[in-house]
Amino acid sequence: MIKSIEEEFDYTFKSEQQKAIINLKHTSNWLSNIHHNYMIQYNLSMAQFNILRILRGAKDFISVTTIKERMIEKSPNTTRLMDKLMEKELIHREKCKNDKRVVFAKISKEGLELLAKIDLTFNDFFQAYNLSDQEAKELNALLDKMRS
Amino acid sequence: MIKSIEEEFDYTFKSEQQKAIINLKHTSNWLSNIHHNYMIQYNLSMAQFNILRILRGAKDFISVTTIKERMIEKSPNTTRLMDKLMEKELIHREKCKNDKRVVFAKISKEGLELLAKIDLTFNDFFQAYNLSDQEAKELNALLDKMRS
DNA sequence: ATAAAATAGCTATTTTTACAATTATTACCA
DNA sequence: TGGTAATAATTGTAAAAATAGCTATTTTAT
């Protein structure tokens, strides 16, 4: 059974629009919670996981700036997230020779192995749950319009 | 013009469902950012603002537990948030006489005045932006279904 | 009646986050 | 060329959040 947000919080909203705002935040938190609890078993935060995935996607060394650009959930402190990944030896880091301001990073063998392990069950967790393809499409359109 | 999340991030998603997840989180962050920047002028965090609104809605003294239950964005530390509101003298606090474990809180005159000031422009900020009534309704239905 | 369990709230500690300042290097241009 | 601006990354620091544990009180069960 579908439980609306009014039922869940025993609260009546002034308008569908205001309800949508709260519903959106609530659903996003609900999702983040699921994702956080999923990642915690691998001792990774979502931000760390995202950096790892970016690095896997990049295949080769890429700069910190490039990582920052590709991060969907922006984090103000990529350097320190990378420190954590270094500690766990999930990435490599080295200075660029041409431009000494730049630092390059690359995923390590251990990092790839960890991601491979996560991949096995990843899709079960990072899905839009009960939405059909068509419904997910509608949701995307509405969200895009909201921000436009 | 509506900018899809692919354009915004120059990234192709595996499915509409996976895109919906990212889109949802991204839109929620985008909203939180707007709200945070709006509240900052009143020296309130969103969590503090929400507690104030709950207390205004309650009218009389209610317990910390009741506040916690009614909070849509759960915070693990309601006590500390209330400390901040006490410092600013926006709420009153007192111990329950029947059950000495329980602490009651109520919004103060200053708190009500602050909320009244915020109310003047509140609707301009906490709206579902470009969505019509019907679209907001659709969005709510999709989000409810997602969590069901 | 008393010990165990549950509850309410608080506190202490660690992590994250946000923001600003700093360092090192490179680019620009008069 | 030399001085200033711009860029890349890191570091410092204060605020906020998350986590876990603690204390006092009440409830439950034997």
Side-chain angles (χ1 to χ4, degrees):
Chain A
M1 213 224 85
I2 298 179
K3 201 176 189 186
S4 79
I5 191 154
E6 272 110 336
E7 290 175 287
E8 205 159 329
F9 290 109
D10 188 26
Y11 181 75
T12 313
F13 295 97
K14 287 209 183 65
S15 68
E16 286 293 323
Q17 275 92 348
Q18 289 224 348
K19 188 165 94 181
I21 298 284
I22 303 298
N23 208 345
L24 186 54
K25 286 194 178 190
H26 172 58
T27 307
S28 173
N29 289 344
W30 171 81
L31 268 175
S32 292
N33 220 36
I34 292 173
H35 294 170
H36 173 77
N37 288 335
Y38 173 66
M39 277 303 155
I40 219 168
Q41 64 184 304
Y42 300 107
N43 193 27
L44 283 181
S45 69
M46 276 304 291
Q48 290 171 30
F49 173 64
N50 284 330
I51 290 183
L52 274 189
R53 296 229 300 169
I54 287 164
L55 289 175
R56 178 172 66 177
K59 295 193 178 76
D60 210 338
F61 279 99
I62 56 173
S63 72
V64 174
T65 306
T66 308
I67 295 173
K68 270 185 189 162
E69 281 167 5
R70 297 195 185 162
M71 280 172 82
I72 287 178
E73 308 236 11
K74 304 291 180 199
S75 175
N77 215 329
T78 312
T79 300
R80 279 195 274 246
L81 284 172
M82 288 168 63
D83 289 346
K84 293 281 172 65
L85 293 171
M86 279 293 287
E87 274 174 36
K88 298 180 222 165
E89 304 190 336
L90 299 174
I91 64 170
H92 300 300
R93 200 152 40 171
E94 67 177 37
K95 285 218 152 190
C96 172
K97 274 167 193 161
N98 304 344
D99 186 339
K100 286 175 195 155
R101 294 169 306 181
V102 176
V103 169
F104 281 130
K106 186 180 169 180
I107 192 166
S108 71
K109 194 168 134 285
E110 289 85 352
L112 284 171
E113 283 166 5
L114 179 58
L115 284 189
K117 204 161 70 181
I118 293 174
D119 274 344
L120 297 175
T121 50
F122 178 79
N123 285 319
D124 297 340
F125 281 85
F126 293 80
Q127 57 167 306
Y129 298 91
N130 303 291
L131 299 190
S132 71
D133 244 55
Q134 182 54 36
E135 285 167 335
K137 214 169 198 159
E138 280 165 34
L139 178 56
N140 279 313
L142 288 168
L143 294 173
D144 289 346
K145 190 170 183 199
M146 195 167 175
R147 290 196 315 281
S148 69
Chain B
M1 215 224 83
I2 298 179
K3 202 175 188 186
S4 79
I5 191 152
E6 273 110 337
E7 290 175 286
E8 206 159 328
F9 290 110
D10 187 27
Y11 183 74
T12 313
F13 295 96
K14 286 209 185 67
S15 68
E16 286 292 322
Q17 274 94 347
Q18 288 226 347
K19 187 164 92 181
I21 297 283
I22 303 298
N23 208 346
L24 187 54
K25 287 194 176 187
H26 172 58
T27 307
S28 173
N29 289 343
W30 171 81
L31 268 174
S32 293
N33 219 38
I34 292 173
H35 295 169
H36 173 78
N37 289 335
Y38 173 65
M39 277 305 154
I40 222 168
Q41 62 183 305
Y42 299 105
N43 193 27
L44 284 180
S45 69
M46 276 304 291
Q48 289 172 31
F49 174 65
N50 284 329
I51 290 183
L52 274 188
R53 298 230 300 167
I54 286 163
L55 289 175
R56 178 170 67 176
K59 294 195 178 75
D60 210 340
F61 280 99
I62 55 171
S63 73
V64 174
T65 306
T66 309
I67 295 174
K68 269 186 191 162
E69 280 167 7
R70 297 197 186 161
M71 281 174 78
I72 288 177
E73 308 236 11
K74 304 291 180 202
S75 172
N77 214 331
T78 311
T79 301
R80 292 273 287 273
L81 286 173
M82 288 169 62
D83 289 346
K84 294 280 171 65
L85 293 172
M86 279 293 288
E87 274 175 35
K88 298 181 220 166
E89 304 189 338
L90 299 173
I91 64 170
H92 301 301
R93 197 153 39 170
E94 66 178 38
K95 283 217 154 191
C96 172
K97 274 165 194 162
N98 302 343
D99 187 338
K100 285 175 196 156
R101 294 171 307 179
V102 176
V103 170
F104 281 130
K106 186 180 167 181
I107 191 165
S108 71
K109 197 169 131 284
E110 290 85 352
L112 284 170
E113 283 167 5
L114 180 59
L115 283 190
K117 204 161 69 180
I118 293 174
D119 274 345
L120 298 175
T121 50
F122 179 79
N123 285 320
D124 297 341
F125 282 84
F126 292 81
Q127 57 167 307
Y129 298 90
N130 304 290
L131 299 191
S132 71
D133 246 54
Q134 182 53 36
E135 286 168 334
K137 215 168 198 159
E138 281 166 33
L139 178 55
N140 279 313
L142 288 169
L143 294 173
D144 289 345
K145 189 169 183 198
M146 195 166 175
R147 290 196 316 280
S148 68

